[in-house]
Amino acid sequence: MQYRNTLCYSVLAAAIAFSIQAQADNLAITGPGAGADGSGKASGTSYGNVRDADMQSYWQAPANNGQRVSVKWSSPVNASRVVVRELGNAVNSWQLVNNDNGAVLASGNALGSAKTIDFATVNTSKLNLNIVSASSAARIAEFEVYQDEGNTPPDPTDPVDPVEPGPVTSCAASPQGYASLNGGTTGGAGNNAVTVTVTTGAQLVSALQNRDLNRPLTIRVNGTITPANSGGVSKFDIKDMDNVSIIGVGGNALFDGIGIKIFRANNVIIRNLTLRYVNTGDKDAITIEGPASNIWIDHNEVYNSLNVGKDYYDELISGKKDIDNVTVSYNYLHDSWKTSLWGNSDSDNYNRRITFHHNHWYRVNSRLPLFRFGQGHIYNNYYNDIQDTGINSRMGAVIRIENNVFENAKNPIVSFYSNAIGYWDTRGNSFSNITWQDYPSDGVIAGPNVQPTAVLNLPYSFSLLPTAEVKAHVLANAGVNKCSF
């Protein structure tokens, strides 16, 4: 729809206020030989409109998805902040990219009228704003670029090296990674908490349905849970509730043919369970559907079978829609066709943030994980016998893949089968007996000379094992009955 030139007084006032600073400090205007270009423009609009300090003019994309507008300079500038001013709220997914090296500096969902994007200082001659997807043709009024004088240029090999909190502890009481953010993930622990022990699925259903929503709940599972002893449910719903843990007792907790779904829930821990052969409900062993936040899936064994059709079972661990702050750690995931899906379609465009660490992925076909949109951190995992594809970064996702071991694997890192590719920040990984096969025609493989295509800076500290120690540590510690929970 054609943008109308009639603007309300508040927008005009905002334009006057920001234009004074923009003309003085905005490198998109004042930088050496500043200019703009892009992938295309709608009739009657101009690339130069994004750098004219005028909210009444704009660049409009010629289509909804896969569009770009850029600011550029005749010689490189130091930049550490971008402010994007969108007219309307059409953008659903975006990336800020250093055109000089292809590094993704930031990514997200909505832009809106004044989106401030801070990043470690880069020296660049061109910055790209990629519109991955939008509900209608995006209109960008201003693409401002600034340099915070307090920033210093980063180490090009590791822009913000995290401060490691100490030695690796496999039986930790609290998670590392994204689940440590937003106050952390404590599940059923806390003041006035309730603990119950169940031996059947019907007892588990009752414990969830009859809980006091004002008190944290820990359910300890000491027995085999089956569809037959679960009172007719097809899955166990942790739904519309917060502060729940389901923890197995020793090696006794087996979910045989029935899984767990976390839906509209926050602060949930799933720990020390064996789950297998789930062909009821959503057909996932553990699945999360948003809105949901602060989920920790730790020290479980989850498996299906490769001796059935690939669609007979679904995922081992998966997530979709608006979920955030998830950590998947110390799990033994094996014998699966479709293993771990995050984002169930190319339109499931939420900014999910998931950490995978110290997991053992063995004899699995694909989706290790398959990751659409958002940011992932995959570190200190041991992969063995990947039969088709491993980590599949899609639809603009940025994944930091760090100090992992890949053995006997086909295509361990790829971007396949989506309308837009994803990216990886690869560091310190080990590859042994690897087959790289370049398919499909629009897909991208990371090897054989694996190099990063993006940079992902992390908002948390974590303990990182040297790559040479990963395999032995994961084999000794991943799975059930490894800790006294």
Side-chain angles (χ1 to χ4, degrees):
M1 181 177 67
Q2 182 67 35
Y3 177 68
R4 294 178 299 176
N5 288 326
T6 302
L7 296 172
C8 68
Y9 171 80
S10 60
V11 175
L12 285 170
I16 293 169
F18 88 77
S19 66
I20 295 172
Q21 178 190 2
Q23 291 173 10
D25 302 326
N26 181 3
L27 295 171
I29 296 175
T30 64
D37 64 23
S39 58
K41 57 188 177 181
S43 177
T45 70
S46 169
Y47 299 125
N49 289 344
V50 303
R51 47 172 300 275
D52 62 359
D54 182 359
M55 282 291 291
Q56 298 184 66
S57 66
Y58 56 92
W59 164 81
Q60 181 170 346
N64 294 9
N65 303 328
Q67 303 299 307
R68 172 183 62 83
V69 65
S70 305
V71 291
K72 59 185 180 180
W73 301 271
S74 57
S75 58
V77 300
N78 288 332
S80 61
R81 171 174 292 179
V82 160
V83 179
V84 178
R85 303 183 188 273
E86 180 190 7
L87 298 177
N89 295 283
V91 175
N92 295 323
S93 178
W94 57 269
Q95 293 176 332
L96 182 68
V97 176
N98 181 353
N99 186 78
D100 291 1
N101 58 15
V104 178
L105 305 176
S107 62
N109 296 328
L111 284 173
S113 61
K115 178 67 174 181
T116 298
I117 307 165
D118 290 316
F119 47 92
T121 299
V122 295
N123 184 254
T124 181
S125 59
K126 186 174 180 179
L127 290 175
N128 301 332
L129 177 64
N130 292 341
I131 308 300
V132 179
S133 65
S135 58
S136 59
R139 298 173 300 173
I140 305 300
E142 294 298 310
F143 184 168
E144 305 166 30
V145 182
Y146 301 99
Q147 163 63 9
D148 181 352
E149 296 300 331
N151 286 355
T152 55
D155 180 338
T157 63
D158 196 355
V160 282
D161 210 9
V163 177
E164 297 186 3
V168 173
T169 303
S170 63
C171 299
S174 57
Q176 289 194 33
Y178 283 110
S180 69
L181 302 179
N182 191 34
T185 302
T186 57
N191 294 331
N192 208 25
V194 175
T195 299
V196 299
T197 299
V198 304
T199 58
T200 69
Q203 293 173 354
L204 176 56
V205 171
S206 177
L208 289 168
Q209 291 182 345
N210 298 317
R211 65 162 298 192
D212 182 346
L213 294 177
N214 296 313
R215 303 176 68 182
L217 172 65
T218 294
I219 301 172
R220 296 181 61 79
V221 180
N222 190 14
T224 298
I225 310 299
T226 68
N229 69 21
S230 296
V233 302
S234 62
K235 60 182 180 295
F236 300 102
D237 284 320
I238 304 175
K239 180 179 179 181
D240 296 323
M241 63 179 73
D242 301 335
N243 312 320
V244 177
S245 294
I246 299 181
I247 301 176
V249 176
N252 299 332
L254 171 62
F255 285 67
D256 195 2
I258 191 166
I260 297 170
K261 183 172 185 177
I262 302 165
F263 181 31
R264 296 198 301 259
N266 304 291
N267 192 26
V268 176
I269 296 174
I270 306 296
R271 208 170 198 193
N272 200 42
L273 308 178
T274 299
L275 303 100
R276 68 180 186 185
Y277 307 145
V278 178
N279 196 30
T280 61
D282 292 356
K283 297 175 65 174
D284 295 329
I286 302 172
T287 188
I288 310 168
E289 182 173 343
S293 180
N294 290 86
I295 313 297
W296 186 20
I297 300 171
D298 179 67
H299 276 97
N300 304 288
E301 180 176 358
V302 194
Y303 61 97
N304 286 319
S305 172
L306 291 171
N307 296 321
V308 295
K310 66 182 300 182
D311 295 321
Y312 187 80
Y313 301 113
D314 215 323
E315 313 295 321
L316 300 185
I317 302 175
S318 69
K320 62 183 179 181
K321 299 186 178 177
D322 186 12
I323 60 178
D324 195 17
N325 297 334
V326 178
T327 293
V328 180
S329 58
Y330 285 100
N331 299 285
Y332 179 29
L333 308 171
H334 62 98
D335 292 277
S336 172
W337 285 100
K338 299 181 291 186
T339 307
S340 191
L341 172 69
W342 299 85
N344 68 336
S345 73
D346 284 358
S347 60
D348 188 5
N349 58 343
Y350 291 93
N351 191 39
R352 288 170 286 268
R353 298 184 299 171
I354 322 293
T355 300
F356 304 82
H357 70 87
H358 298 99
N359 300 291
H360 182 194
W361 312 73
Y362 175 60
R363 202 161 51 221
V364 281
N365 185 69
S366 62
R367 303 183 179 181
L368 315 176
L370 188 165
F371 204 101
R372 292 182 173 99
F373 302 97
Q375 295 91 48
H377 185 201
I378 302 174
Y379 72 92
N380 284 166
N381 294 265
Y382 174 47
Y383 292 86
N384 187 14
D385 195 1
I386 301 173
Q387 300 186 4
D388 186 49
T389 57
I391 300 167
N392 192 348
S393 179
R394 294 160 63 168
M395 294 305 296
V398 181
I399 306 178
R400 181 159 158 171
I401 304 169
E402 186 167 18
N403 286 31
N404 300 284
V405 175
F406 298 90
E407 294 182 346
N408 310 309
K410 180 179 178 181
N411 283 346
I413 304 171
V414 302
S415 182
F416 283 178
Y417 312 124
S418 271
N419 292 326
I421 65 169
Y423 304 90
W424 41 80
D425 181 357
T426 46
R427 312 176 182 208
N429 300 290
S430 171
F431 299 92
S432 177
N433 192 26
I434 304 299
T435 300
W436 296 99
Q437 182 176 345
D438 197 359
Y439 70 94
S441 60
D442 57 348
V444 179
I445 60 173
N449 181 26
V450 178
Q451 298 294 325
T453 61
V455 175
L456 179 62
N457 300 327
L458 300 169
Y460 55 79
S461 59
F462 65 105
S463 299
L464 185 66
L465 276 175
T467 307
E469 299 177 15
V470 167
K471 178 178 177 179
H473 178 84
V474 169
L475 288 175
N477 292 286
V480 300
N481 203 23
K482 302 294 185 179
C483 307
S484 298
F485 296 126

